[in-house]
Amino acid sequence: MIQIAVLGFGTVGSGVVELIDKNQDVIRSRFPEGIHVKYILDIREFPDSPYADRIVHDMKVILEDPEIAIVCETMGGKEPAYSFSRAALEKGKSVCTSNKELVAAYGPALIQTAADHNCSYMFEASVGGGIPVIRPLLSALTQEKITSILGILNGTTNYIMTRMENEGMSFEDVLKIAQEKGYAERNPEADVEGHDACRKIAILSSLVTGKTVRYEDIPCEGISKITTEDMKYARAMHMAVRLLGMSRQTENGAVYVRTAPFLVPEEHPLHNVSGVFNAVFVHGNMVDNLMFYGRGAGKLPTASAVTADVLECARNIGRHVPVKWSDEVLQLSDPKSESRQFFVRVDAAEKDLALSLFKAAQEVRAEGLEGEFAFVTEEQTEAEFERKAASLSTLKNRIRLLDLEK
Ligand code: HSE
């Protein structure tokens, strides 16, 4: 029997314990030795939990128990998660995590620590919740040059936007439901302002380039400026607003990475990804387009991804499972040189000015939205758009359009 410890008995940690219990027969049918959760580390007591006797409050108990081979870090945040993970790896205990903040900040260092101590650092659950996307990128696609990744990478914001869009619910009401369902971060600003999606696209970009894409270097916008009016225009254009993490490598080697809301045309498979679902749309130079789809947040889906890593570590006790991700920082291309079309809304009084700035603008109309002029620009660089848009004093919003050809 492989003995493991779970750090943090919150949404994901309790899901891992529940899953290992409920699916023990399934696990044993493929891994006859079985997996047992010996300890659960948390600062809280859980007197009513069936697992109350496994709760410990001191990490030393776990570190000093030679029976513990694998640690699931489901605490979130940087500290003490980083110190605990490092200490476990230094003891030769593999670590499986759902903590995207930690992976984005310290991934290469923790992978190296694992390599130095013949154990593994695995983080399938850090991107896309229950979707297996990291393992396919690291194993099934190593023969490919991955030229583009487009992802709906945050379940909370996708849930908020689609319920606002389809049911006309208010932002605050839907956020509250997302929190109750365990989708949102402790501080939901990380979801709403795009930081969570940004960390996830940084992880994916690092894995496909093998270098470190720093999330601090990625231009990041969330959904807090998106209004129900924007959604009405989107519908009129047969598009949907989606918060995307985007990573593109051009033929001349430029790498563009961005997190922002985009207008996604209905012809694109990401258009129909709704609710808490995430999807990662990958283009490889040989395999062409692939899409990975599933629940991007929530207790059991995320626990499923953590447990997949536990089983892989269990099959590799005493060995390091390598991950190609060096600490060399990848210089990203100037985001202002990227080009695309933009959707723009200004007061009707600025229509003539807008048309003089954006000569090929195509007007967009939506029912019930009078008194303003909305349009889609011709393709141009971000820098050019910013320069022109600065002359518009009544700019209500601008949203990038996803180009189907890129
Ligand atoms: N808050 C995150 C989300 C949890 O909504 O996607 C999963 O990483």
Side-chain angles (χ1 to χ4, degrees):
M1 180 85 92
I2 300 284
Q3 300 290 351
I4 74 165
V6 173
L7 314 185
F9 202 41
T11 306
V12 183
S14 62
V16 170
V17 179
E18 184 182 328
L19 188 157
I20 289 175
D21 237 8
K22 284 198 175 147
N23 272 12
Q24 188 63 224
D25 54 338
V26 180
I27 292 171
R28 274 178 190 267
S29 69
R30 287 150 196 172
F31 186 76
E33 232 184 298
I35 304 282
H36 178 252
V37 178
K38 187 169 180 182
Y39 303 117
I40 300 164
L41 180 83
D42 205 291
I43 48 173
R44 299 163 291 179
E45 297 289 351
F46 295 87
D48 302 327
S49 162
Y51 308 105
D53 58 334
R54 306 191 205 175
I55 302 283
V56 294
H57 305 296
D58 186 354
M59 182 65 188
K60 265 197 202 147
V61 175
I62 294 165
L63 292 174
E64 284 167 13
D65 185 337
E67 270 194 350
I68 297 292
I70 301 165
V71 169
C72 298
E73 185 272 295
T74 51
M75 310 175 79
K78 285 197 184 127
E79 279 298 352
Y82 174 69
S83 306
F84 288 177
S85 299
R86 212 179 120 174
L89 294 169
E90 284 171 350
K91 290 269 188 187
K93 301 175 194 301
S94 289
V95 174
C96 307
T97 188
S98 55
N99 187 341
K100 48 272 158 120
E101 196 177 340
L102 198 63
V103 176
Y106 300 112
L110 292 168
I111 291 164
Q112 188 55 50
T113 308
D116 294 343
H117 295 86
N118 300 320
C119 56
S120 304
Y121 186 63
M122 295 200 176
F123 42 90
E124 180 63 70
S126 67
V127 178
I131 309 173
V133 61
I134 288 182
R135 193 158 291 112
L137 282 179
L138 292 177
S139 58
L141 295 173
T142 46
Q143 71 288 3
E144 288 288 329
K145 180 172 182 201
I146 305 291
T147 55
S148 150
I149 298 182
L150 280 178
I152 294 178
L153 298 170
N154 183 268
T156 303
T157 46
N158 210 52
Y159 184 78
I160 292 174
M161 282 195 297
T162 51
R163 291 207 71 174
M164 282 171 70
E165 205 172 80
N166 301 335
E167 296 158 57
M169 288 177 73
S170 77
F171 178 92
E172 290 72 24
D173 287 350
V174 196
L175 174 61
K176 206 161 155 266
I177 303 172
Q179 285 173 311
E180 281 160 13
K181 286 180 176 282
Y183 302 158
E185 297 301 303
R186 220 170 299 156
N187 176 3
E189 198 185 309
D191 298 300
V192 172
E193 298 305 338
H195 307 305
D196 180 76
C198 190
R199 290 184 177 114
K200 291 167 176 167
I201 196 67
I203 295 170
L204 294 178
S205 306
S206 300
L207 293 175
V208 298
T209 61
K211 297 184 181 168
T212 291
V213 173
R214 286 161 32 100
Y215 62 87
E216 300 94 324
D217 295 343
I218 301 175
C220 175
E221 281 174 37
I223 62 160
S224 57
K225 295 198 181 102
I226 302 295
T227 64
T228 44
E229 286 79 14
D230 296 325
M231 289 174 176
K232 280 189 189 162
Y233 281 112
R235 201 169 306 126
M237 291 186 281
H238 303 284
M239 297 192 190
V241 188
R242 294 283 177 264
L243 180 65
L244 299 184
M246 174 182 278
S247 180
R248 279 180 173 151
Q249 271 183 277
T250 65
E251 272 171 20
N252 61 16
V255 182
Y256 292 101
V257 188
R258 179 182 294 278
T259 302
F262 276 80
L263 281 158
V264 179
E266 68 184 1
E267 295 86 348
H268 198 286
L270 291 174
H271 178 275
N272 289 330
V273 176
S274 53
V276 73
F277 282 82
N278 280 192
V280 186
F281 191 79
V282 176
H283 184 267
N285 66 335
M286 295 293 148
V287 71
D288 204 52
N289 292 333
L290 295 167
M291 189 155 98
F292 301 89
Y293 172 84
R295 286 186 185 271
K299 181 175 167 169
L300 292 174
T302 313
S304 174
V306 175
T307 313
D309 283 349
V310 170
L311 285 167
E312 173 127 24
C313 290
R315 288 187 204 98
N316 287 283
I317 300 285
R319 270 197 304 272
H320 172 64
V321 178
V323 177
K324 192 172 169 288
W325 179 355
S326 87
D327 58 6
E328 184 190 338
V329 173
L330 184 76
Q331 292 307 319
L332 300 181
S333 304
D334 178 5
K336 292 205 162 100
S337 66
E338 254 185 303
S339 64
R340 55 173 51 95
Q341 292 179 281
F342 296 81
F343 166 72
V344 186
R345 290 169 54 210
V346 290
D347 273 355
E350 274 201 319
K351 178 173 179 177
D352 290 345
L353 175 61
L355 287 172
S356 70
L357 291 164
F358 299 97
K359 299 207 162 37
Q362 298 158 32
E363 183 167 2
V364 182
R365 288 178 198 270
E367 223 180 282
L369 292 171
E370 279 79 43
E372 54 180 74
F373 176 57
F375 60 98
V376 172
T377 71
E378 61 274 42
E379 183 170 329
Q380 56 205 284
T381 63
E382 291 266 343
E384 202 181 340
F385 175 77
E386 267 182 33
R387 188 171 43 75
K388 291 179 190 168
S391 307
L392 297 167
S393 59
T394 65
L395 187 70
K396 291 174 189 290
N397 209 354
R398 54 100 184 99
I399 308 175
R400 295 169 176 87
L401 259 70
L402 180 66
D403 186 340
L404 288 171
E405 303 305 318
K406 286 189 186 165

PDB file of all heavy atoms in Angstrom, residues 98 100 125-129 153-157 182-185 191 196 200 276 278 296-298 302, ligand 1:
ATOM      1  N   SER A  98      -2.279  21.139  -7.112  1.00  0.00           N
ATOM      2  CA  SER A  98      -3.265  21.866  -7.920  1.00  0.00           C
ATOM      3  C   SER A  98      -2.961  23.363  -7.849  1.00  0.00           C
ATOM      4  O   SER A  98      -3.745  24.174  -8.315  1.00  0.00           O
ATOM      5  CB  SER A  98      -4.663  21.612  -7.346  1.00  0.00           C
ATOM      6  OG  SER A  98      -4.672  21.967  -5.962  1.00  0.00           O
ATOM      7  N   LYS A 100      -1.645  26.456  -8.912  1.00  0.00           N
ATOM      8  CA  LYS A 100      -1.087  27.135 -10.100  1.00  0.00           C
ATOM      9  C   LYS A 100      -0.206  28.319  -9.746  1.00  0.00           C
ATOM     10  O   LYS A 100       0.741  28.636 -10.445  1.00  0.00           O
ATOM     11  CB  LYS A 100      -2.187  27.552 -11.073  1.00  0.00           C
ATOM     12  CG  LYS A 100      -3.388  28.288 -10.476  1.00  0.00           C
ATOM     13  CD  LYS A 100      -4.442  27.334 -10.008  1.00  0.00           C
ATOM     14  CE  LYS A 100      -5.344  27.945  -8.975  1.00  0.00           C
ATOM     15  NZ  LYS A 100      -6.714  27.992  -9.344  1.00  0.00           N
ATOM     16  N   ALA A 125      -3.274  19.230 -12.198  1.00  0.00           N
ATOM     17  CA  ALA A 125      -4.480  19.944 -11.765  1.00  0.00           C
ATOM     18  C   ALA A 125      -4.297  21.461 -11.719  1.00  0.00           C
ATOM     19  O   ALA A 125      -5.247  22.191 -11.448  1.00  0.00           O
ATOM     20  CB  ALA A 125      -4.895  19.455 -10.373  1.00  0.00           C
ATOM     21  N   SER A 126      -3.073  21.920 -12.027  1.00  0.00           N
ATOM     22  CA  SER A 126      -2.858  23.372 -11.939  1.00  0.00           C
ATOM     23  C   SER A 126      -3.438  24.112 -13.139  1.00  0.00           C
ATOM     24  O   SER A 126      -3.611  25.325 -13.091  1.00  0.00           O
ATOM     25  CB  SER A 126      -1.361  23.682 -11.795  1.00  0.00           C
ATOM     26  OG  SER A 126      -0.677  23.326 -12.978  1.00  0.00           O
ATOM     27  N   VAL A 127      -3.729  23.408 -14.220  1.00  0.00           N
ATOM     28  CA  VAL A 127      -4.309  24.051 -15.412  1.00  0.00           C
ATOM     29  C   VAL A 127      -5.524  23.250 -15.857  1.00  0.00           C
ATOM     30  O   VAL A 127      -5.445  22.040 -16.044  1.00  0.00           O
ATOM     31  CB  VAL A 127      -3.294  24.102 -16.584  1.00  0.00           C
ATOM     32  CG1 VAL A 127      -3.935  24.715 -17.825  1.00  0.00           C
ATOM     33  CG2 VAL A 127      -2.047  24.867 -16.189  1.00  0.00           C
ATOM     34  N   GLY A 128      -6.653  23.935 -16.020  1.00  0.00           N
ATOM     35  CA  GLY A 128      -7.827  23.285 -16.606  1.00  0.00           C
ATOM     36  C   GLY A 128      -8.561  22.332 -15.678  1.00  0.00           C
ATOM     37  O   GLY A 128      -9.329  21.480 -16.154  1.00  0.00           O
ATOM     38  N   GLY A 129      -8.379  22.458 -14.364  1.00  0.00           N
ATOM     39  CA  GLY A 129      -9.126  21.610 -13.418  1.00  0.00           C
ATOM     40  C   GLY A 129      -8.975  20.139 -13.752  1.00  0.00           C
ATOM     41  O   GLY A 129      -7.876  19.588 -13.731  1.00  0.00           O
ATOM     42  N   LEU A 153      -9.406  29.244 -19.503  1.00  0.00           N
ATOM     43  CA  LEU A 153      -8.621  28.615 -18.438  1.00  0.00           C
ATOM     44  C   LEU A 153      -9.118  28.951 -17.051  1.00  0.00           C
ATOM     45  O   LEU A 153      -8.493  28.560 -16.069  1.00  0.00           O
ATOM     46  CB  LEU A 153      -7.146  29.055 -18.570  1.00  0.00           C
ATOM     47  CG  LEU A 153      -6.457  28.643 -19.875  1.00  0.00           C
ATOM     48  CD1 LEU A 153      -5.106  29.319 -20.005  1.00  0.00           C
ATOM     49  CD2 LEU A 153      -6.307  27.134 -19.945  1.00  0.00           C
ATOM     50  N   ASN A 154     -10.220  29.675 -16.970  1.00  0.00           N
ATOM     51  CA  ASN A 154     -10.742  30.011 -15.640  1.00  0.00           C
ATOM     52  C   ASN A 154     -12.226  29.689 -15.589  1.00  0.00           C
ATOM     53  O   ASN A 154     -13.027  30.299 -16.314  1.00  0.00           O
ATOM     54  CB  ASN A 154     -10.472  31.483 -15.325  1.00  0.00           C
ATOM     55  CG  ASN A 154     -10.930  31.839 -13.919  1.00  0.00           C
ATOM     56  OD1 ASN A 154     -12.056  32.273 -13.721  1.00  0.00           O
ATOM     57  ND2 ASN A 154     -10.075  31.624 -12.943  1.00  0.00           N
ATOM     58  N   GLY A 155     -12.567  28.730 -14.745  1.00  0.00           N
ATOM     59  CA  GLY A 155     -13.952  28.272 -14.655  1.00  0.00           C
ATOM     60  C   GLY A 155     -14.874  29.339 -14.088  1.00  0.00           C
ATOM     61  O   GLY A 155     -16.004  29.509 -14.561  1.00  0.00           O
ATOM     62  N   THR A 156     -14.396  30.069 -13.083  1.00  0.00           N
ATOM     63  CA  THR A 156     -15.241  31.060 -12.414  1.00  0.00           C
ATOM     64  C   THR A 156     -15.709  32.143 -13.385  1.00  0.00           C
ATOM     65  O   THR A 156     -16.902  32.458 -13.459  1.00  0.00           O
ATOM     66  CB  THR A 156     -14.449  31.701 -11.246  1.00  0.00           C
ATOM     67  OG1 THR A 156     -14.036  30.656 -10.377  1.00  0.00           O
ATOM     68  CG2 THR A 156     -15.272  32.711 -10.495  1.00  0.00           C
ATOM     69  N   THR A 157     -14.767  32.708 -14.134  1.00  0.00           N
ATOM     70  CA  THR A 157     -15.152  33.805 -15.043  1.00  0.00           C
ATOM     71  C   THR A 157     -16.017  33.286 -16.191  1.00  0.00           C
ATOM     72  O   THR A 157     -16.931  33.971 -16.648  1.00  0.00           O
ATOM     73  CB  THR A 157     -13.909  34.529 -15.594  1.00  0.00           C
ATOM     74  OG1 THR A 157     -12.972  33.551 -16.018  1.00  0.00           O
ATOM     75  CG2 THR A 157     -13.296  35.422 -14.549  1.00  0.00           C
ATOM     76  N   GLY A 182     -17.476  26.323  -4.908  1.00  0.00           N
ATOM     77  CA  GLY A 182     -16.047  26.029  -4.723  1.00  0.00           C
ATOM     78  C   GLY A 182     -15.220  26.262  -5.974  1.00  0.00           C
ATOM     79  O   GLY A 182     -14.130  25.708  -6.104  1.00  0.00           O
ATOM     80  N   TYR A 183     -15.715  27.092  -6.907  1.00  0.00           N
ATOM     81  CA  TYR A 183     -14.953  27.355  -8.133  1.00  0.00           C
ATOM     82  C   TYR A 183     -13.960  28.498  -7.932  1.00  0.00           C
ATOM     83  O   TYR A 183     -12.872  28.480  -8.479  1.00  0.00           O
ATOM     84  CB  TYR A 183     -15.871  27.766  -9.305  1.00  0.00           C
ATOM     85  CG  TYR A 183     -16.937  26.782  -9.695  1.00  0.00           C
ATOM     86  CD1 TYR A 183     -18.077  27.207 -10.382  1.00  0.00           C
ATOM     87  CD2 TYR A 183     -16.796  25.422  -9.424  1.00  0.00           C
ATOM     88  CE1 TYR A 183     -19.056  26.313 -10.771  1.00  0.00           C
ATOM     89  CE2 TYR A 183     -17.781  24.521  -9.816  1.00  0.00           C
ATOM     90  CZ  TYR A 183     -18.914  24.976 -10.477  1.00  0.00           C
ATOM     91  OH  TYR A 183     -19.886  24.101 -10.872  1.00  0.00           O
ATOM     92  N   ALA A 184     -14.400  29.519  -7.174  1.00  0.00           N
ATOM     93  CA  ALA A 184     -13.627  30.764  -7.109  1.00  0.00           C
ATOM     94  C   ALA A 184     -12.436  30.641  -6.164  1.00  0.00           C
ATOM     95  O   ALA A 184     -12.429  29.831  -5.243  1.00  0.00           O
ATOM     96  CB  ALA A 184     -14.536  31.900  -6.660  1.00  0.00           C
ATOM     97  N   GLU A 185     -11.422  31.472  -6.433  1.00  0.00           N
ATOM     98  CA  GLU A 185     -10.274  31.562  -5.529  1.00  0.00           C
ATOM     99  C   GLU A 185     -10.713  32.208  -4.222  1.00  0.00           C
ATOM    100  O   GLU A 185     -11.734  32.909  -4.184  1.00  0.00           O
ATOM    101  CB  GLU A 185      -9.186  32.428  -6.169  1.00  0.00           C
ATOM    102  CG  GLU A 185      -8.627  31.862  -7.455  1.00  0.00           C
ATOM    103  CD  GLU A 185      -8.021  30.488  -7.274  1.00  0.00           C
ATOM    104  OE1 GLU A 185      -7.114  30.339  -6.442  1.00  0.00           O
ATOM    105  OE2 GLU A 185      -8.462  29.541  -7.950  1.00  0.00           O
ATOM    106  N   ASP A 191      -9.482  35.555 -10.045  1.00  0.00           N
ATOM    107  CA  ASP A 191     -10.264  35.046 -11.171  1.00  0.00           C
ATOM    108  C   ASP A 191     -10.693  36.209 -12.062  1.00  0.00           C
ATOM    109  O   ASP A 191     -10.414  36.230 -13.255  1.00  0.00           O
ATOM    110  CB  ASP A 191     -11.540  34.339 -10.658  1.00  0.00           C
ATOM    111  CG  ASP A 191     -11.241  33.130  -9.796  1.00  0.00           C
ATOM    112  OD1 ASP A 191     -10.599  32.194 -10.286  1.00  0.00           O
ATOM    113  OD2 ASP A 191     -11.678  33.119  -8.616  1.00  0.00           O
ATOM    114  N   ASP A 196      -5.437  34.433 -12.492  1.00  0.00           N
ATOM    115  CA  ASP A 196      -5.439  32.973 -12.459  1.00  0.00           C
ATOM    116  C   ASP A 196      -5.245  32.406 -13.881  1.00  0.00           C
ATOM    117  O   ASP A 196      -4.394  31.538 -14.103  1.00  0.00           O
ATOM    118  CB  ASP A 196      -6.765  32.492 -11.841  1.00  0.00           C
ATOM    119  CG  ASP A 196      -6.868  30.988 -11.767  1.00  0.00           C
ATOM    120  OD1 ASP A 196      -6.233  30.396 -10.879  1.00  0.00           O
ATOM    121  OD2 ASP A 196      -7.567  30.394 -12.614  1.00  0.00           O
ATOM    122  N   LYS A 200      -2.011  30.290 -15.609  1.00  0.00           N
ATOM    123  CA  LYS A 200      -2.193  29.012 -16.318  1.00  0.00           C
ATOM    124  C   LYS A 200      -1.612  29.079 -17.733  1.00  0.00           C
ATOM    125  O   LYS A 200      -0.977  28.120 -18.179  1.00  0.00           O
ATOM    126  CB  LYS A 200      -3.673  28.645 -16.338  1.00  0.00           C
ATOM    127  CG  LYS A 200      -4.183  28.274 -14.932  1.00  0.00           C
ATOM    128  CD  LYS A 200      -5.694  28.212 -14.884  1.00  0.00           C
ATOM    129  CE  LYS A 200      -6.206  27.745 -13.526  1.00  0.00           C
ATOM    130  NZ  LYS A 200      -7.659  27.970 -13.369  1.00  0.00           N
ATOM    131  N   VAL A 276     -18.839  26.340 -16.092  1.00  0.00           N
ATOM    132  CA  VAL A 276     -17.540  26.149 -15.435  1.00  0.00           C
ATOM    133  C   VAL A 276     -16.546  25.385 -16.336  1.00  0.00           C
ATOM    134  O   VAL A 276     -15.398  25.177 -15.976  1.00  0.00           O
ATOM    135  CB  VAL A 276     -17.738  25.436 -14.076  1.00  0.00           C
ATOM    136  CG1 VAL A 276     -18.091  23.971 -14.297  1.00  0.00           C
ATOM    137  CG2 VAL A 276     -16.529  25.573 -13.172  1.00  0.00           C
ATOM    138  N   ASN A 278     -13.836  24.461 -19.081  1.00  0.00           N
ATOM    139  CA  ASN A 278     -12.654  25.062 -19.682  1.00  0.00           C
ATOM    140  C   ASN A 278     -12.369  24.303 -20.966  1.00  0.00           C
ATOM    141  O   ASN A 278     -12.841  23.168 -21.149  1.00  0.00           O
ATOM    142  CB  ASN A 278     -11.427  24.891 -18.777  1.00  0.00           C
ATOM    143  CG  ASN A 278     -11.338  25.881 -17.626  1.00  0.00           C
ATOM    144  OD1 ASN A 278     -10.317  25.983 -16.978  1.00  0.00           O
ATOM    145  ND2 ASN A 278     -12.402  26.625 -17.361  1.00  0.00           N
ATOM    146  N   GLY A 296     -13.331  22.950 -15.504  1.00  0.00           N
ATOM    147  CA  GLY A 296     -12.108  23.687 -15.187  1.00  0.00           C
ATOM    148  C   GLY A 296     -11.920  23.975 -13.715  1.00  0.00           C
ATOM    149  O   GLY A 296     -10.880  24.486 -13.305  1.00  0.00           O
ATOM    150  N   ALA A 297     -12.919  23.688 -12.900  1.00  0.00           N
ATOM    151  CA  ALA A 297     -12.820  23.951 -11.459  1.00  0.00           C
ATOM    152  C   ALA A 297     -13.826  23.049 -10.768  1.00  0.00           C
ATOM    153  O   ALA A 297     -14.679  22.430 -11.409  1.00  0.00           O
ATOM    154  CB  ALA A 297     -13.123  25.419 -11.164  1.00  0.00           C
ATOM    155  N   GLY A 298     -13.719  22.990  -9.432  1.00  0.00           N
ATOM    156  CA  GLY A 298     -14.658  22.161  -8.661  1.00  0.00           C
ATOM    157  C   GLY A 298     -13.933  21.022  -7.986  1.00  0.00           C
ATOM    158  O   GLY A 298     -12.868  20.576  -8.430  1.00  0.00           O
ATOM    159  N   THR A 302     -11.150  18.496 -10.066  1.00  0.00           N
ATOM    160  CA  THR A 302      -9.761  18.892  -9.793  1.00  0.00           C
ATOM    161  C   THR A 302      -9.051  17.778  -9.013  1.00  0.00           C
ATOM    162  O   THR A 302      -7.884  17.461  -9.272  1.00  0.00           O
ATOM    163  CB  THR A 302      -9.719  20.232  -9.023  1.00  0.00           C
ATOM    164  OG1 THR A 302     -10.600  21.144  -9.686  1.00  0.00           O
ATOM    165  CG2 THR A 302      -8.329  20.816  -8.990  1.00  0.00           C
TER     166      THR A 302
HETATM  167  N1  HSE B   1     -10.597  29.603  -9.474  1.00  0.00           N
HETATM  168  C1  HSE B   1     -10.137  28.667 -10.455  1.00  0.00           C
HETATM  169  C2  HSE B   1     -11.098  28.696 -11.628  1.00  0.00           C
HETATM  170  C3  HSE B   1     -10.071  27.300  -9.858  1.00  0.00           C
HETATM  171  O1  HSE B   1     -12.205  29.224 -11.470  1.00  0.00           O
HETATM  172  O2  HSE B   1     -10.753  28.236 -12.719  1.00  0.00           O
HETATM  173  C4  HSE B   1      -9.429  26.266 -10.748  1.00  0.00           C
HETATM  174  O3  HSE B   1      -8.085  26.550 -11.000  1.00  0.00           O
END
